[in-house]
Every structure is written in C-alpha cells, then in structure tokens.
Amino acid sequence: MSELPEEVLRWVSGAVGGGVRVDGATGLREGGSPWLLRFEPAGRVEAAVLRLGDPADPDQRRRFGTEVAALRVAAEHRLPAARLIAADLDGAETGALAVLTTVLAGDSKIPPVASAERLRGLGAAAAALQAVPLTPRPALPLRTRSITDVDFAALRREKGTTALLTTAEERLDRLPVPGGPTVFVHGDLWHGNTLWSGDRCTGLVDWDCAGAGSPGIDLSGARFDAALLFGPPAADHVLEGWQRATGRQADDLAYWDVVAATCSLADMGFCVPVMHDQGRPDLDADTLGARRDAFLSAALARLDADSRQS
C-alpha cells in the first residue's frame, strides 16, 4: 500500500469509522486509481472503492464534483450506483481529490456474445435514468451528447475524418437540438461502465460525465455501444428494453443515434485498448469502423426519412 499516502489512509479509516484500518489496496486500472480497499476488522463496510485525483487540475476537480453530485442523485432515486461514503473535493483533508464509495456487486468484463436479455437490460438501465427529471445545475450541467469533455469534431479536424462522418456533422449542424424536458443522464453509458451478474445489470459506474439532458443521449449511447461490440442488430434489443421499461416509443431516435456515432474518430483504433482491457481482444479498428459506419449510415437514412415526413 506504499502507493497510498498515510494522510489518505487515515482519512479513509475515519470516513468508514468503527476503528478499521486499510488492510489491502488493489489498483483497478493499470495498478492505480481507482483502488479497491479492504478493511481490518471487516465491520460495517468490508470493502470500498477509492478514486484519487490532482486538486491542481481544474478538469479533474470538475469531473470529481460531477461524480459526487451524480452519486447523490442516484442515491436519492435508488438507482443502481455505488453509495457515496465520503469525498474531499479540494484536497484539504487528504492532499488529493478523493471520492470513497461502496462496492457494487457484479463484473464489468464484456462477453464476446451478448444475449437479447442482456441487451434489453442495458436499455432498461438507460430507462431508469430518464425516469428522473433534472434541471441543469453547476455540477450537473446541460449535456447535448455523450462524453462532452472530448471534442471529437476538433480531433477529427486534426487527425483526419471520413466522408460519412463529415456528412453526419453537416447534417447535425443544420438541425436544432430536439427540445423537451431534461432528465438525469449518465453521459458515458457503455458496457465498460456497467456491472453484471449473468444477464442482469447490477450497477453503473464512472459518473463523471453525468448531467441533465435528453433521454436520447444515454439510449443512443447504449445502442451505439451495442452495435460496436456485438454488431448493428444488437442496438434494436437495447431499444426494445428501453421501450419496455418506459412504456413508450423513443423520441428523435435517428437524431440521437447520429449524435452517438459522431462521438468517435475516423480511426476507431483509439478505443481498441480499452475494449481489449474490458475483455474483448477480438475487436480491432477495422471491425469497429465497419460497425460504426453501418450504424451511422442507417441512422442518417432514418433521419432523412423523418425529415421528409415532417
């Protein structure tokens, strides 16, 4: 546990209470933060997850603040998320940004094949979020797409793009963002941020892109993820699960599908390492690119058809 400063360990023990001490720490990503902590003696909390950051980095401060605000909303509405134990959002107590949460049951490894039940479960997870009305606020701002801290359009201008992605950007530029009430959105809803027990979704993690926005952000984000991981037809099962859970048809689905697919780069190799790390070494840039283009082409065709009918 030499990687964790004594100041942090004391703060954790005090937050958990009951006279416990940290008895083990396992880095969950490349041997580092977030950390899975074990306690001795195991009492009220047997384990916890500790996320650390740099208080001098304004972007990290913003993301940690969003995570804490989102976890509080999730707890208030009994959503499947870890519960917040303690947070140090300026480093005053620990010398670092620190968020300590309970541990969720389940596995985040992505299977090579997903059942229709699992995919419908992902759609239902998105539906649970959209049941929570939310107005934008400083720590949970208005979101108009997933992963808003990455400027994919600027990166495509820098690194190169494709005719299809350019067409999609131009099409979106000519359209207003659909209106309607804003709801609680996760903002990065993909399989790597979900936990599963068999085909049952047990929880959502990594809430630092959360905010208020359209239900279409998480629904289409999950649909795009399913299309990339399991092939474009998998997206229809996600939609089915969402519509079963909400009891209604999704609004502006083609628009949000296009938005979701433009949260990518021409070369899909940028997301290959994380997908390999999450259990899918079979996926390569060419496969992901072909699946992205098939999903995006279909969404653009439906968007054009919707425009002709309106």
Side-chain angles (χ1 to χ4, degrees):
M1 289 183 296
S2 59
E3 299 89 345
L4 293 177
E6 284 298 323
E7 189 176 12
V8 171
L9 295 174
R10 286 195 300 271
W11 176 80
V12 168
S13 296
V16 173
V20 303
R21 63 179 179 83
V22 178
D23 189 49
T26 303
L28 297 178
R29 288 190 181 160
E30 299 180 354
S33 181
W35 300 86
L36 176 64
L37 306 181
R38 301 285 180 183
F39 301 106
E40 178 63 35
R44 181 175 64 88
V45 177
E46 294 186 2
V49 173
L50 173 67
R51 189 183 302 273
L52 296 175
D54 180 2
D57 185 328
D59 182 62
Q60 289 192 35
R61 289 172 69 111
R62 176 185 57 77
R63 293 171 71 95
F64 273 63
T66 292
E67 175 114 10
V68 167
L71 289 174
R72 286 173 174 156
V73 172
E76 179 183 353
H77 294 276
R78 300 183 181 276
L79 294 172
R83 297 300 178 241
L84 181 68
I85 298 172
D88 181 3
L89 295 181
D90 58 11
E93 298 177 78
T94 63
L97 301 176
V99 174
L100 186 68
T101 68
T102 58
V103 178
L104 289 171
D107 188 354
S108 65
K109 290 297 182 183
I110 304 169
V113 177
S115 68
E117 182 181 358
R118 182 186 182 101
L119 294 166
R120 287 192 291 265
L122 183 60
L129 299 177
Q130 71 96 48
V132 179
L134 189 72
T135 55
R137 56 196 67 176
L140 294 169
L142 179 67
R143 306 297 192 188
T144 57
R145 62 173 174 86
S146 297
I147 323 175
T148 53
D149 58 328
V150 177
D151 190 339
F152 289 98
L155 288 172
R156 286 193 293 269
R157 289 193 295 271
E158 175 188 342
K159 298 176 181 294
T161 188
T162 68
L164 182 61
L165 284 166
T166 298
T167 296
E169 282 190 59
E170 292 173 348
R171 190 76 176 85
L172 292 174
D173 286 343
R174 296 196 297 270
L175 293 172
V177 177
T182 54
V183 300
F184 188 38
V185 298
H186 180 278
D188 189 13
L189 187 56
W190 76 291
H191 259 85
N193 284 338
T194 59
L195 295 171
W196 298 83
S197 176
D199 285 334
R200 181 175 65 88
C201 182
T202 59
L204 308 179
V205 299
D206 289 356
W207 292 85
D208 54 1
C209 291
S214 167
I217 294 172
D218 282 340
L219 170 58
S220 288
R223 277 170 49 78
F224 181 50
D225 169 61
L228 291 177
L229 293 173
F230 310 112
D236 292 337
H237 294 303
V238 176
L239 176 61
E240 181 184 0
W242 188 92
Q243 291 183 157
R244 283 185 182 183
T246 61
R248 67 179 182 86
Q249 299 293 305
D251 297 326
D252 304 300
L253 184 65
Y255 175 92
W256 292 111
D257 280 357
V258 173
V259 169
T262 56
C263 293
S264 65
L265 302 181
D267 180 2
M268 291 295 287
F270 80 98
C271 62
V272 166
V274 69
M275 290 189 174
H276 285 190
D277 184 61
Q278 291 293 130
R280 291 299 304 274
D282 57 304
L283 294 174
D284 56 35
D286 289 342
T287 299
L288 294 171
R291 289 176 175 179
R292 186 267 315 280
D293 290 350
F295 181 87
L296 179 53
S297 295
L300 284 169
R302 288 185 286 109
L303 188 60
D304 289 339
D306 291 346
S307 296
R308 288 193 295 269
Q309 293 171 7
S310 61

